[in-house]
Amino acid sequence: MTKGFDVRASTQPADAAVRDTILANPGFGRHFSDHMAHVRWTVDGGWHGHEVRPYGPLMLDPAASVLHYAQEIFEGIKAYRHADGSVWTFRPEKNAARFRNSARRLALPELSDEDFIGSLKVLLAQDSAWVPTPASASDECSLYLRPFMIASEAFLGVRPSREVDYYVIASPVAAYFKGGIKPVSIWLSSHYNRAAAGGTGFAKCGGNYAGSLAAQSEATANGCDQVVFLDAAENKWVEELGGMNLFFVYKDGRLVTPRLTGTILEGVTRDSILTMATDLGLTPEERPISIDEWREGIASGEITEVFACGTAAVITPVGELASEDGRLDLTANAGDVAMRLRSQLLDLQYGRAEDTRGWMTRLA
Ligand SMILES: *Cc1c(COP(=O)(O)O)cnc(C)c1O
């Protein structure tokens, strides 16, 4: 057990039979494990009260600032069961560092690596039975971990909250796309932007997601799965999807992704792909890419593949780019490089390949 966390075990954990039924068909983000981790922060007391307690509703004052001013951040990371039964996670120090960056931007207190990674370990010490066991190498089940931090002070004035709570909850998940990987169609939003210079684009905060939902609804209304955002200043440069980063494969072997300018979320999957690219003989490149370069690259055959990436869906080929100007079919481009990177990443995460970079951390 990680030092410093008090454990109050649930007196009503799910029965093994109920849990097994859930684990056999978990869906995504609908079911939760028996416990949650919690750490409290106050201006005067700093971080304290480290605990694991039964999963359940929070008591929040209706005036809690998070409910009014959205002072909130979160993370998304998975726990994978390996063939020997052990449970591992992927590059948690990257998520811990990003959580601190997000905290600074949202004027929330920073949580140490020790508390961030420690909270995952103590929760898994209680709830490791909630990590599903893959039935085969193509079974992408895992326990999705959701650390988050909220401003809980009851105060309607506008200033950083003097009371904050950090929690981690856990949800068993199947593959993000049920029925196997199929290329996603994406809608190019012409009415909405996700982030602007000086804003919160690089922070993983709930507000960014709230702001992306109208654009996502527009995508859905146009028969698309996801929305892609351009930069807010010129409406010209490709940034990312609502919750995934984008990559472009060129026929000469370049692997291009938009450079981080403060308006793009620094994905752990994105960074891992840039690092692994050279193993597959690709040349990674971080630079601005315009929507015209994308369209022209597809037309000329310079761009051979486009894919999206993130923890939840891993790597997903993009099969269509649609906008008010028409629809561009990319299914002929959906493919090979994305799928090779995808297996390389999954083999590592599920312990089927050697962890030469020290990216895996054991949780249970
Ligand atoms: C979380 C997230 C990503 C993907 O990041 P990963 O660390 O790879 O999961 C990409 N874009 C946005 C907006 C996100 O919130």
Side-chain angles (χ1 to χ4, degrees):
M1 197 188 79
T2 302
K3 217 172 97 250
F5 280 79
D6 280 342
V7 176
R8 181 152 55 88
S10 173
T11 53
Q12 292 167 308
D15 324 325
V18 170
R19 188 181 64 223
D20 288 347
T21 308
I22 293 170
L23 294 187
N25 189 12
F28 195 96
R30 294 193 169 280
H31 299 282
F32 301 93
S33 69
D34 294 316
H35 297 88
M36 57 191 190
H38 171 226
V39 189
R40 180 153 177 82
W41 179 91
T42 55
V43 161
D44 298 329
W47 289 109
H48 61 274
H50 300 57
E51 62 172 352
V52 170
R53 68 184 206 212
Y55 182 90
L58 304 179
M59 280 280 276
L60 267 187
D61 194 288
S65 10
V66 63
L67 301 175
H68 304 273
Y69 309 126
Q71 198 189 1
E72 186 269 357
I73 57 171
F74 67 96
E75 271 301 323
I77 184 167
K78 285 173 168 174
Y80 308 91
R81 190 177 298 284
H82 287 188
D84 65 359
S86 58
V87 174
W88 298 73
T89 193
F90 183 67
R91 308 187 75 185
E93 54 294 328
K94 294 287 280 183
N95 297 81
R98 184 170 69 190
F99 200 53
R100 278 196 296 276
N101 277 337
S102 300
R104 276 196 294 278
R105 182 63 185 83
L106 275 286
L108 284 162
E110 296 178 35
L111 189 74
S112 67
D113 267 28
E114 192 190 355
D115 279 348
F116 184 90
I117 299 173
S119 67
L120 308 182
K121 287 186 175 163
V122 281
L123 182 58
L124 265 293
Q126 287 303 302
D127 284 351
S128 65
W130 284 92
V131 183
T133 301
S136 68
S138 61
D139 183 353
E140 291 167 20
C141 57
S142 61
L143 185 65
Y144 184 81
L145 304 173
R146 168 53 60 86
F148 63 102
M149 195 192 290
I150 57 172
S152 46
E153 183 184 357
F155 179 55
L156 294 182
V158 180
R159 59 145 169 76
S161 182
R162 292 180 181 160
E163 293 170 30
V164 166
D165 288 278
Y166 164 75
Y167 298 92
V168 188
I169 57 173
S171 174
V173 299
Y176 196 75
F177 298 107
K178 52 174 189 285
I181 308 139
K182 63 167 176 37
V184 289
S185 53
I186 60 183
W187 175 254
L188 174 64
S189 177
S190 44
H191 302 291
Y192 300 108
N193 294 106
R194 180 184 167 276
T200 56
F202 67 89
K204 209 168 175 77
C205 62
N208 289 343
Y209 277 72
S212 74
L213 296 176
Q216 180 61 43
S217 297
E218 193 181 273
T220 308
N222 284 281
C224 290
D225 303 310
Q226 295 280 328
V227 59
V228 60
F229 292 100
L230 300 181
D231 75 293
E234 297 178 75
N235 264 301
K236 171 178 179 184
W237 306 103
V238 177
E239 296 209 315
E240 62 171 318
L241 308 188
M244 286 193 270
N245 296 116
L246 271 178
F247 276 91
F248 300 84
V249 184
Y250 284 69
K251 84 167 181 261
D252 62 6
R254 279 174 299 147
L255 180 66
V256 179
T257 193
R259 139 175 90 88
L260 302 173
T261 52
T263 53
I264 295 178
L265 203 284
E266 188 173 353
V268 178
T269 319
R270 174 188 179 279
D271 181 79
S272 307
I273 290 170
L274 286 170
T275 309
M276 295 182 327
T278 48
D279 301 351
L280 297 184
L282 299 163
T283 311
E285 211 171 276
E286 297 176 71
R287 64 166 170 86
I289 170 163
S290 69
I291 188 67
D292 293 338
E293 178 176 350
W294 181 352
R295 288 187 168 127
E296 285 156 18
I298 296 293
S300 68
E302 274 299 299
I303 296 177
T304 54
E305 269 180 63
V306 184
F307 63 83
C309 69
T311 298
V314 196
I315 293 177
T316 308
V318 174
E320 186 180 17
L321 173 64
S323 69
E324 282 166 359
D325 304 333
R327 305 184 86 99
L328 186 59
D329 184 358
L330 309 175
T331 41
N333 308 81
D336 177 56
V337 170
M339 296 318 279
R340 279 194 293 150
L341 282 163
R342 195 172 203 285
S343 340
Q344 193 168 323
L345 193 55
L346 289 171
D347 283 349
L348 179 60
Q349 291 171 335
Y350 284 93
R352 297 184 296 257
E354 197 195 337
D355 177 20
T356 53
R357 296 187 171 96
W359 280 354
M360 303 303 292
T361 292
R362 186 161 181 181
L363 293 179

